[in-house]
Amino acid sequence: MPNFRMTLCYDGTRYRGWQRQGNTSNTIQERLETAITELLGQPVEVHGSGRTDAGVHARMQTASFRAKTHLPPERLLKRLRAALPPDIGVLDLCEAEPRFHARLSCTGKTYVYRIWNSEEPNVFDRRWQHVIPEPLDLEAMQRAGDALCGTHDFTSFCSNRRMKKSAVRTLRSVKVERAGGEVRLTFTGDGFLYHQVRILAGTLIEVGLGKRPADEMEAILAARDRDFAGETAPAQGLILWETRYD
Amino acid sequence: MPNFRMTLCYDGTRYRGWQRQGNTSNTIQERLETAITELLGQPVEVHGSGRTDAGVHARMQTASFRAKTHLPPERLLKRLRAALPPDIGVLDLCEAEPRFHARLSCTGKTYVYRIWNSEEPNVFDRRWQHVIPEPLDLEAMQRAGDALCGTHDFTSFCSNRRMKKSAVRTLRSVKVERAGGEVRLTFTGDGFLYHQVRILAGTLIEVGLGKRPADEMEAILAARDRDFAGETAPAQGLILWETRYD
């Protein structure tokens, strides 16, 4: 059965996240599966590189699915674009190797957390920014971010308190940058736990506001306890920026 | 009575344009007047540099109003920001010279018309772009734009067919540029007639699509007849970019 690979983007504002949740929910996966199933006249299961939370956006999400069809990928792409709502876009669709799987084959991801850090309003980007008008100490945030990089047990940065699998992940880099009124936090790693990026962002924000010292990160990691890290930052500032497949 | 000057931005998507229309309408002017009137406890009339149509956005709109108040402008700015909906923003508020009037003192404006010119979807900027997936001949559009510059009677580019006042305006420059999937048309002039920018944009788009020759512009101007120009381009792609006061 042919295997397909898609690159997607979405404005997550009005969705309950990536993952299908029964019949009545409004999720990205469900919208894609419904559209492809109707186009091809057969039940189709779509796998994403990972699940994004309710309200989280994607500049580039990768997904894959298997389906019996003689339709060339270009034609399927065109029809799928026409069938989807305007806040879910298919950037690319092609046939993939038989063994390709969007989640299992994924070797790395980059997330960007956008903060609007100004007293001036920003009416155009407000849907994908978290607003913090108070001054942020970017140097301290960068120091804390650097201290979190490497291969660690990230239990303290995971919302799932009953994780049975390993919470060891490799965080390759954290970049803290300002461009005008916006502060961008860029997290690159091999994979992320449930809520990990939002808890990392929330912890760095507390460092930036002077509510906790930058040199506390090692202790938070060592505690392996969710209560030691900062708050989970709001979903609307988070964007899945890139997925990598080696 | 003190005179105030504001710089505003707004996402015009859900508004019926700038101008107040009785009691029940949802317009930018009405929202501002209601907020300021409530804050200062007196009826206030807000004047804009010009009226934007329903669905048109502003990156920078200038407005002025007179009110009796001892409140320092910084405090008024803060309160007004808190009172307005998230799609109307006040960038700046200060006391102005007694004779300043946002419309009468305005000496020039720049509008940008944004076109998403790609088959790939753009989920993030779709609210302020007009989508045209077909290829556009930018060189021909620029030639047509150049031919429209100068001081002319723009009756052919005005939707008000019963204009009693002069339709002579000076169009200082038209720039046609591509950045990735986006084509931007930038119009700078001393002032614009009703629907003028949208008819200019619609006419240039028809030139870009090969539906009319670029060298037809002089004849359209000379006709002084709305029927000779192209269609009125959709409001959502139009942004009031800048207002000038010399």
Side-chain angles (χ1 to χ4, degrees):
Chain A
M1 195 148 56
N3 192 20
F4 295 95
R5 172 179 174 161
M6 294 187 285
T7 311
L8 306 166
C9 56
Y10 44 84
D11 166 1
T13 308
R14 68 185 184 103
Y15 294 100
R16 297 169 71 180
W18 170 268
Q19 199 184 13
R20 193 193 331 114
Q21 297 166 21
N23 288 323
T24 53
S25 70
N26 190 26
T27 69
I28 316 281
Q29 186 186 29
E30 184 216 6
R31 289 300 179 106
L32 287 164
E33 290 180 346
T34 304
I36 300 171
T37 295
E38 278 179 20
L39 282 174
L40 300 182
Q42 62 192 281
V44 166
E45 198 171 339
V46 176
H47 301 279
S49 73
R51 302 160 186 172
T52 50
D53 299 337
V56 172
H57 320 287
R59 171 184 164 270
M60 176 185 157
Q61 161 76 295
T62 300
S64 62
F65 63 93
R66 289 173 200 281
K68 259 185 252 173
T69 175
H70 296 294
L71 215 60
E74 319 80 73
R75 302 250 331 253
L76 183 55
L77 172 62
K78 226 170 178 161
R79 291 199 194 170
L80 187 54
R81 279 178 176 166
L84 287 168
D87 45 9
I88 302 178
V90 187
L91 297 171
D92 189 51
L93 189 155
C94 59
E95 216 176 314
E97 286 175 44
R99 295 182 57 185
F100 180 81
H101 185 286
R103 180 166 52 83
L104 303 175
S105 311
C106 185
T107 54
K109 278 180 202 163
T110 296
Y111 279 94
V112 169
Y113 197 88
R114 293 176 67 177
I115 299 165
W116 182 245
N117 183 228
S118 167
E119 293 198 356
E120 275 193 10
N122 184 338
V123 298
F124 295 110
D125 291 316
R126 67 198 160 84
R127 280 183 192 80
W128 14 90
Q129 287 175 332
H130 171 42
V131 177
I132 303 178
E134 296 82 18
L136 289 170
D137 181 346
L138 266 59
E139 222 182 289
M141 292 169 79
Q142 183 64 68
R143 274 207 313 283
D146 289 341
L148 290 162
C149 287
T151 303
H152 306 287
D153 182 320
F154 280 98
T155 298
S156 297
F157 293 89
C158 176
S159 282
N160 184 349
R161 288 173 190 267
R162 280 181 277 176
M163 266 268 290
K164 285 172 190 161
K165 294 184 204 161
S166 164
V168 174
R169 294 290 185 278
T170 300
L171 183 60
R172 301 219 173 266
S173 70
V174 177
K175 273 191 292 180
V176 179
E177 294 162 306
R178 174 182 292 284
E182 182 170 290
V183 171
R184 279 191 182 211
L185 316 180
T186 306
F187 301 91
T188 298
D190 61 350
F192 293 93
L193 304 166
Y194 183 52
H195 281 177
Q196 184 181 344
V197 184
R198 289 169 59 191
I199 302 173
L200 287 169
T203 307
L204 292 194
I205 288 167
E206 291 177 13
V207 169
L209 292 169
K211 291 183 181 172
R212 64 169 74 225
D215 60 12
E216 206 184 71
M217 300 303 120
E218 289 84 353
I220 300 177
L221 285 168
R224 294 184 195 179
D225 181 338
R226 168 71 188 90
D227 294 339
F228 281 66
E231 285 192 29
T232 307
Q236 74 171 56
L238 186 60
I239 300 148
L240 174 53
W241 201 255
E242 219 178 313
T243 52
R244 262 181 307 286
Y245 295 86
D246 294 338
Chain B
M1 195 148 54
N3 191 19
F4 295 95
R5 173 179 173 162
M6 294 187 285
T7 311
L8 307 166
C9 56
Y10 44 84
D11 166 2
T13 308
R14 69 186 184 103
Y15 294 99
R16 296 169 71 179
W18 171 269
Q19 198 185 13
R20 193 192 331 115
Q21 296 166 22
N23 288 323
T24 52
S25 69
N26 190 26
T27 70
I28 317 280
Q29 185 186 29
E30 185 215 4
R31 288 301 180 105
L32 288 164
E33 290 180 347
T34 303
I36 300 172
T37 295
E38 278 180 20
L39 282 175
L40 300 182
Q42 62 192 283
V44 165
E45 198 171 339
V46 175
H47 301 280
S49 73
R51 302 161 186 174
T52 51
D53 298 337
V56 171
H57 319 287
R59 172 184 163 271
M60 177 186 157
Q61 162 76 294
T62 301
S64 62
F65 64 92
R66 290 172 199 282
K68 259 185 251 173
T69 175
H70 295 294
L71 215 60
E74 317 82 73
R75 302 253 327 257
L76 184 54
L77 171 63
K78 226 169 177 162
R79 292 198 194 171
L80 187 54
R81 280 179 177 166
L84 287 169
D87 46 8
I88 303 178
V90 187
L91 297 171
D92 188 52
L93 190 155
C94 59
E95 215 175 316
E97 287 174 45
R99 295 182 58 184
F100 180 81
H101 185 286
R103 182 167 51 83
L104 302 175
S105 311
C106 185
T107 54
K109 277 179 202 163
T110 296
Y111 279 94
V112 169
Y113 197 88
R114 293 177 69 178
I115 299 164
W116 181 246
N117 183 228
S118 168
E119 293 199 358
E120 275 192 11
N122 183 338
V123 298
F124 295 110
D125 292 315
R126 67 199 158 85
R127 281 183 190 79
W128 16 89
Q129 287 176 332
H130 171 43
V131 177
I132 302 177
E134 296 82 17
L136 289 170
D137 180 346
L138 266 59
E139 221 182 290
M141 292 169 79
Q142 183 65 66
R143 274 206 314 282
D146 289 341
L148 290 162
C149 288
T151 304
H152 305 289
D153 182 318
F154 280 98
T155 299
S156 297
F157 293 89
C158 175
S159 281
N160 183 350
R161 287 172 191 268
R162 279 182 274 177
M163 266 269 291
K164 284 173 189 161
K165 293 183 203 161
S166 164
V168 174
R169 295 288 184 279
T170 300
L171 183 60
R172 301 219 174 266
S173 71
V174 177
K175 273 192 291 179
V176 179
E177 293 162 306
R178 174 182 293 280
E182 182 170 289
V183 171
R184 279 190 183 213
L185 316 180
T186 306
F187 301 92
T188 298
D190 60 352
F192 292 93
L193 303 166
Y194 183 52
H195 281 177
Q196 184 181 345
V197 184
R198 289 169 59 190
I199 302 172
L200 288 168
T203 306
L204 293 194
I205 288 167
E206 292 177 13
V207 169
L209 292 169
K211 292 184 182 172
R212 64 169 74 224
D215 61 12
E216 207 185 71
M217 300 303 121
E218 290 84 352
I220 299 177
L221 285 168
R224 295 184 194 179
D225 181 339
R226 169 69 188 90
D227 294 339
F228 281 66
E231 284 192 31
T232 307
Q236 75 171 58
L238 186 59
I239 301 149
L240 174 53
W241 201 256
E242 217 179 314
T243 51
R244 262 182 307 286
Y245 295 86
D246 294 335

